[in-house]
Amino acid sequence: MQTQIESEPRVSYSSRRDSELVPRSVVQARNLTRRFGRGETSVDALRDVSLDVPAGRLTAIMGPSGSGKSTLMHILAGLDRPTSGTVEIDGTEITTLDDTPLTKLRREHVGFIFQFFNLLPMLTARENIVLPLEIAGEKVEAAWLEQLVGSVGLAERLSHRPAEMSGGQQQRVAIARSLITRPTVLFADEPTGNLDSMTGGDILALLRHSVDAFDQTIVMVTHDARAATVADRVLFLADGQIVKQLTDTTPEEVHLAISELGKE
Amino acid sequence: MLRIALRGLWSRKLRTSLTAFAVVLGISMVAGTYVLTDTINKSFNTLMASARADTSAVVSGKSLVKNGATSDQPTVPASLLARVSSLPGAASAYGVVETESARMIDAKGDPVGPAGPPALGFGRDPASIGRDGAFKIIDGRWAKGPGEVAIDVASAKKAHVSIGDTIRVEGSGPLQSFRIVGLLQWGSSNSLGGATMAVFDLPTAQRLFGLGGRLSEIDVIAKDGVSPARLVAQIKPLLPPNAKALTVDEQIKEDQSQWSSFAKIIRYALLTFAGIALFVGAFVIFNTLSITVAQRTREMATLRTIGASRRQILGGVLTEGLTIGALASVIGIGVGILLAAGLSALMGAIGIDVPRTATVYAPRTFVISIVTGVVVTLLASLGPALRATRVPPIAAVREGAVLARRRSSRLRQIASGLLLATSLAVLGVGLFGSFDQSSQRLLTIAAGCALFFIAVALLSAYFARPLARIVGAPGSTFGGTAGKLARENAMRVPARTASTAAALMIGLALVTFVSVLAQGFVRSIGVAIRKQASADYIVMANDGYSTYSNAVAGRLARVPGVEKAVALRTDTVIAFGKQISITGFDPKTASSVYKFDWQEGSNASLAKLGGDGAIVTDSFAHKHGLGIGSPLPVQMPDGRKLRLRVIAVNKQPELIELLGEVTVSEKAFDAVYRNPKTTLLTYLRTTGGESEAVAARLRSALAVFPSVQVLTEKKAIDTQSSGMNTLLAMFYVLLGLSVVVSVFGIVNTLALAVFERTRELGMLRAIGMTRRQARRMIRHESITISLIGAATGIPVGIFLAAMVTTALSRYDIVFSLPVSSLVAFTLATVVAGMLAAILPARRASRLNVLEALQYE
């Protein structure tokens, strides 16, 4: 099934999107600035960044190390607060929220995928997947769980613990875990960063599949040029600013864009 | 969330059990104490009740003095017996004599039975004995007539004697020989806590124990249909003023209450040490959980990102604490039950067999143990749990374990400083303030100490680094690279090192404290004794505090070479509503050994003592506004009232007072205290001072008083101190438990550090560190942590001892450092550190280098 998704021509999923219609934006960032440190040693990781994340699309954020791409995602996801500027997720301004409403927002609207998977080692795959529901005190929809487990290809592995699984399998569990709550937006932080290239490709395809099959909105920070093959839109950051934007692009174009950024 | 916490604990089984162990020891001591004391209580109560199985009412003497502080034991006149038995409600009545000073001496001249438990002696009417449940004859018959005795089976075995043999008994006078005619036991128990028993007939016992014409009690059996209460009502009109009559149930309750108040003291003493062990255990739990929370930062952060609230994180860590606490309590109760069994076996082994009917498991034991264990663990996990809630979700995306940010360290510093000030204030109030009850004072001091320990533990985080530099220096110099790295490792997270060491600090501080104080006491005892009296020889009971026969002094005075023998009699009297100590001496000879320090009066005043004169101490005179000529009404333990008159005021140190608050002439003393055994000390002046010839003659003169010893003044002072040494040894053992707990804390910290530094250790091994070096590195780190504990604990203990010494300054307690003990403690700490390192060092050395390097 993984191969199935991968073998699908790239055109097929971009064509599924009605690019003519402007989709609703679920995350809106305005004039984001993030300054680290104080005084003379301070560094501006983000400088006046604004962007909209359209619903049901996969947005990739790329850029060289230190470009501010991770900081941008952390702020969009409410993990970090900007020095100035605002972020709205599903209409809620999050940069000023207290911990409790922010936690509630995470439960309802936000999913995460990490570079190091961040599974709980003592729980089985199934337990890890349903953990967000359990934490929120919600019931597990058996049909949805089954569908999800099927689509990430883990039906046989549900009773295994993370230590008994390969990196790719662990990341699949992490993806299922992030999708189980049907979040408004899913943030993926270098999801292929800790995987070999083959497995990384599978994971990218799986993310694309989530967008297509479940209409999932995804924001992904990555170094992986192949992200271009699955992203609807690629934003390029350099020195804390969005410097370029490509839609329906190819790895070659991405490579070119990155090397140009590096030259500047 | 609950499930996650439990699963997490399960996945870290070894660590969880090591953590739990910190509480197990304390709880086992709590549970063990309750089980042991309950069981002994129950056994004694059952025995006491069964001993009066057949009796309806008991007539006995009243004593106004509590806690058995008098040798003048309550009695009733023997003439009362005939009058009671002729009452219409009485079927029969029997006189009983009972004392605790009937020491049997075997053929070799050694006392039978251990020194602690009483040597019981009874006088019973052969017609009545065996009627109640008290005594059972196993072999032979009851004693009848002046030369006969029946003794308990256990004592007969110990003395290697049987029926027909002779045994000597020291009553209130010199040794006397008796023929054994019977072997007996008490109820169904073959031991009464190691007490020995010798049963005579009534007149023999009265003579032997100096109770001519008197009885300890009269047991009355009612006629059918007469209730005990009615019988008591009939008896009451016959009673002299210092006697009482109780129904059997009331009497049993009274018998039991005496024992249970003693048991209570033992119980609270043991529970205090259990409390200390738990306090130290709380530190260990706090520390271990803090480290595991730090190591699981990413896990906590991930939970936050997928929607866990702070409250849920808090709940998760607290659940861990709760589970560890519950687990530890359950194991602790099990260990405690074993401990109780072990202790009573140990007591049996040294001759103080505890009579046991059946082990008592009161529900209260379980409730208190579990509640204490859980509460202590929960309190200890509160800090780490709150820390865990401060883990920011963003920590989920950071590499490696990022320590949760501490509250501003400045704030922490201020808080620690404030706590230190508060603790010192509480300590100060406890030590120097005035309290109505000493229990309140003790509690205040205990609270002050606990706060002080916490404050020092918090503050030690700031000086752990420089301390590690100093105490790690030897290891760093002689331990090669491993030693250097060890020191650096110990300095890496100073807060962690400090709080690990803090657990050890508490145990060491307390050990140091008692050791310094004990040395001070020992020194002061010598000073105080020398200050008050001087003699060539001092005669005292073998145990140093019992009173002995008044015949001793007279006998010694006749020994050639003895110039003067001055006996000090002592007992208790009631004055101004309080029990005070009263002394009797011969005014003609007293000043030859006793150095009076007259505040009012002079040596010439001694001649005025007469029949009603009294010398009082300065503090007593001050307290009650007494001066020469003041009337001093006192009341005897049996209720008789005396009117004394103050003839002089003598200044006396308040530690080891040789004279009581009130001193009267020997004649006046003997006129009111009937017991012929009231001598506490006899001072001897000999011609030419100490000499082996005189000593030998003294010893042979005392051969018929085996419970009395003659010592040179120096030896006598040493004997007083040796009691202190026994007490000190007990304290060391009980505090050792806390040290064991803190050693587990070190094991935990090191094991977690090894786990945390897996990759680093792998790297060190990869670049050529040998297994031996890896082990040495861990060992040196452990020793460094331990020495930090010693370097803080010993000064803290010295400081506390100095404060207490100051508070007790009116007792002239010397402040004196037991240097050799302190050196021994430090060495013991190093050994503890080495022991703690064994497991973690092994783990570090067995690390698979390849896996360690791949470890994420």
Side-chain angles (χ1 to χ4, degrees), chain A residues 161-252:
Chain A
R161 280 175 218 280
E164 300 159 340
M165 290 189 272
S166 70
Q169 285 166 340
Q170 289 189 50
Q171 196 62 301
R172 286 165 185 280
V173 174
I175 291 171
R177 177 178 71 181
S178 67
L179 291 172
I180 192 83
T181 57
R182 295 191 174 96
T184 310
V185 55
L186 177 63
F187 293 99
D189 184 17
E190 301 275 12
T192 61
N194 203 32
L195 298 172
D196 63 62
S197 105
M198 168 97 161
T199 318
D202 291 350
I203 293 299
L204 288 176
L206 182 55
L207 289 176
R208 179 71 236 172
H209 174 71
S210 329
V211 176
D212 297 335
F214 313 130
D215 209 21
Q216 181 63 52
T217 309
I218 298 179
V219 177
M220 169 171 71
V221 164
T222 183
H223 274 102
D224 198 335
R226 287 174 304 161
T229 60
V230 296
D232 296 300
R233 184 166 66 132
V234 182
L235 301 176
F236 292 91
L237 249 72
D239 293 329
Q241 287 180 308
I242 297 174
V243 291
K244 198 179 175 83
Q245 197 179 137
L246 293 172
T247 40
D248 293 344
T249 178
T250 64
E252 292 71 30

Side-chain angles (χ1 to χ4, degrees), chain A residues 74 79-80 99 103 106-107 112 114 116 118 120-124 127 131-132 134-136 161 177 189, chain B residues 1 3-5 7-8 11-12 298-299 302-310 312 393-394 396-397 399 856:
Chain A
H74 295 159
L79 292 180
D80 195 4
D99 191 73
T103 301
R106 276 191 204 112
R107 286 182 185 175
F112 283 102
F114 305 93
F116 296 106
N118 289 22
L120 267 62
M122 62 281 190
L123 301 184
T124 63
E127 288 164 338
L131 189 58
E134 212 173 275
I135 285 173
R161 280 175 218 280
R177 177 178 71 181
D189 184 17
Chain B
M1 212 55 212
R3 208 157 52 101
I4 299 170
R7 292 285 282 278
S11 70
R12 300 182 294 270
R298 188 191 285 180
E299 189 179 307
T302 303
L303 285 170
R304 292 303 314 279
T305 60
I306 60 176
S309 65
R310 281 193 172 151
Q312 282 173 315
I394 197 166
V397 296
E399 247 186 293
E856 187 260 302

Side-chain angles (χ1 to χ4, degrees), chain B residues 339-389:
Chain B
L339 198 72
L343 268 178
S344 62
L346 189 75
M347 284 162 78
I350 59 171
I352 338 178
D353 330 36
V354 179
R356 261 187 301 172
T357 38
T359 314
V360 178
Y361 303 108
R364 178 263 281 116
T365 305
F366 298 93
V367 172
I368 290 184
S369 301
I370 288 183
V371 168
T372 312
V374 168
V375 168
V376 165
T377 323
L378 264 187
L379 283 178
S381 54
L382 203 59
L386 286 172
R387 180 88 61 84
T389 64

Side-chain angles (χ1 to χ4, degrees), chain B residues 686-726:
Chain B
T686 55
T687 28
E690 293 172 20
S691 81
E692 198 38 56
V694 174
R697 284 201 292 274
L698 291 172
R699 276 196 294 272
S700 84
L702 284 177
V704 289
F705 292 104
S707 66
V708 181
Q709 55 181 343
V710 57
L711 302 166
T712 61
E713 190 185 59
K714 187 182 173 307
K715 257 290 186 51
I717 290 169
D718 288 349
T719 309
Q720 292 289 322
S721 329
S722 79
M724 184 65 82
N725 287 336
T726 315

Side-chain angles (χ1 to χ4, degrees), chain B residues 190 269 476:
Chain B
N190 53 7
S476 176

Side-chain angles (χ1 to χ4, degrees), chain B residues 505-582:
Chain B
M505 176 269 287
I506 296 167
L508 270 173
L510 291 172
V511 167
T512 304
F513 171 74
V514 294
S515 151
V516 173
L517 218 55
Q519 166 128 337
F521 265 111
V522 166
R523 291 268 160 94
S524 314
I525 287 170
V527 171
I529 291 179
R530 286 211 167 85
K531 210 174 179 179
Q532 294 175 78
S534 71
D536 299 310
Y537 291 97
I538 298 175
V539 181
M540 59 173 77
N542 292 333
D543 60 18
Y545 58 80
S546 293
T547 52
Y548 54 86
S549 172
N550 296 339
V552 168
R555 189 176 278 257
L556 292 176
R558 289 194 296 275
V559 171
V562 172
E563 285 179 350
K564 284 203 171 85
V566 181
L568 291 185
R569 311 256 207 272
T570 189
D571 212 295
T572 300
V573 78
I574 294 163
F576 303 105
K578 279 207 169 147
Q579 286 184 206
I580 58 162
S581 175
I582 182 168

